[in-house]
Each structure stands twice: as C-alpha cells, then as structure tokens.
Amino acid sequence: MNYFILSQDDRISNAVEPIGLSQVIKKELLTVERMEELEDIDRQFPVLNKNDNDYIDYIAKPIALLADPVKQLVEKYEPRLPFKPIILMEQAKLKQVLYWLIIPPQVACLSAQTEFHLDGTLKKLVIDEALAAPYTIFKIEGIKEDYLIVNIELAESILRRAFRGIRLLKVQTEGTWSETFSHE
C-alpha cells in the first residue's frame, strides 16, 4: 500500500498562522493517553495579523490543525479518532474560524531500511507496510520529525476535493520511490 506525508502547501504565502498555540498545547500532550489533559486548555487563539489571511484546509505548524471539511472527511475513514476543537480568531476583522486538533495514533512502523543523520533526524524514511497497514492516518513513532501520514485511500479522497493548502508527499515503502503530489 502507498502512504503519504500530509503537509501544508508552503506556496501559499498568506496562510493563516496561529499565535501562542505551541506554548499552550505541548506536543507531548498530543497522544491518546494524555488527551484528557487537553480538556482544560483555552481553545481560542489569535492569528498573526496579515492584510489577507488565507484560512487553508490544513495548518501544519506549530501543531497540525484540520479545517472542518477535512476533519469530516477523515472521520469517515477513522470515526474513533480523537479531535479537539480550536477557534482561530482574527480580532481586527472580528472573525472566528473553527479548526480541529487531530490526535492520531503513534505507530512503530519504521522499516529497517530507514536511515538517520548523526543528529537523529531522518535521512531516508521507509515505512514497513505490514506494520502500517491497519492505520488510515497516523504519526510515526521513533522519529524526531512530526509527520502526519495518510494511506492511499484517504490521500485519493483528499485529492478529489477542492481543499486548499494541502500537499501530499509519497513515502517510500519497501521497494518504492518518493514522488510529490500537490493539491491546491
């Protein structure tokens, strides 16, 4: 099966940027086991003031956020996946937009063919298909990078819709090579 890294399209220069999100929501809380600790956090965050913020469908940084239509699609594939609502506020325009914090499972699916740099970052990512097969959307356990991975069925479904700001980068599995696919 093919897998893809879901990423934000960096060609969109005026993409909305949340402020203070990573100070309140620490990445170590983004696990199913620690999900209850997110209940007490503030769910409203301001955005960086720009002339024309583009509320794209996937925000990768500082923490992965899905726009409501993308969340609804992901739920069709993974109905039990935990999500938490986040409101992005553009105070100057009195605008509020709903996004969803996604809490995917951490999957130990690295192939023995995966290669690392001396500092522990990935040099070459290779996924073991057998270990990843039960999951539609997940993060990879054992790497420093914060990649959100989707299987080919979900990737194709994303590409069939008019989502903005999403890129899909094919991940190598044993015997395949990476390619980049974009969707604006």
Side-chain angles (χ1 to χ4, degrees):
M1 178 172 293
N2 292 320
Y3 294 92
F4 299 84
I5 297 171
L6 185 70
S7 65
Q8 181 176 326
D9 190 342
D10 56 1
R11 297 174 296 179
I12 299 176
S13 60
N14 59 336
V16 65
E17 296 178 46
I19 299 172
L21 192 59
S22 60
Q23 285 78 31
V24 175
I25 303 173
K26 305 292 183 199
K27 288 191 182 197
E28 54 271 9
L29 294 178
L30 299 178
T31 64
V32 175
E33 298 80 27
R34 298 192 63 191
M35 182 170 77
E36 307 81 39
E37 297 175 48
L38 292 172
E39 294 300 324
D40 298 330
I41 64 160
D42 185 11
R43 295 204 173 128
Q44 295 187 1
F45 295 91
V47 298
L48 191 63
N49 284 330
K50 297 180 184 177
N51 287 340
D52 190 26
N53 274 317
D54 191 346
Y55 287 83
I56 57 177
D57 290 304
Y58 177 68
I59 300 171
K61 293 187 181 196
I63 293 171
L65 297 175
L66 304 178
D68 196 52
V70 181
K71 181 248 189 193
Q72 290 176 24
L73 175 65
V74 170
E75 272 186 319
K76 289 179 182 177
Y77 287 86
E78 287 290 338
R80 294 182 311 270
L81 194 65
F83 294 94
K84 296 292 178 187
I86 299 289
I87 304 293
L88 299 185
M89 303 178 309
E90 196 168 348
Q91 294 174 349
K93 295 182 180 176
L94 301 174
K95 184 175 186 173
Q96 295 184 339
V97 179
L98 173 65
Y99 277 86
W100 295 89
L101 175 67
I102 183 170
I103 306 171
Q106 296 275 334
V107 178
C109 62
L110 288 178
S111 163
Q113 297 176 13
T114 297
E115 298 174 11
F116 293 92
H117 292 284
L118 292 177
D119 66 356
T121 58
L122 283 172
K123 183 176 186 180
K124 177 178 145 186
L125 174 62
V126 184
I127 290 179
D128 183 325
E129 292 181 46
L131 298 173
Y135 303 94
T136 305
I137 186 167
F138 59 92
K139 291 199 175 184
I140 301 171
E141 187 178 294
I143 63 173
K144 288 184 177 183
E145 291 80 2
D146 192 29
Y147 292 147
L148 187 58
I149 308 294
V150 297
N151 71 6
I152 192 163
E153 286 88 7
L154 181 52
E156 287 175 342
S157 195
I158 288 169
L159 290 172
R160 282 193 296 269
R161 287 158 177 81
F163 294 139
R164 287 191 30 75
I166 295 177
R167 291 188 75 156
L168 295 167
L169 173 66
K170 190 171 181 187
V171 175
Q172 185 175 340
T173 55
E174 295 173 19
T176 62
W177 295 99
S178 297
E179 300 172 41
T180 302
F181 298 91
S182 299
H183 189 269
E184 290 186 59

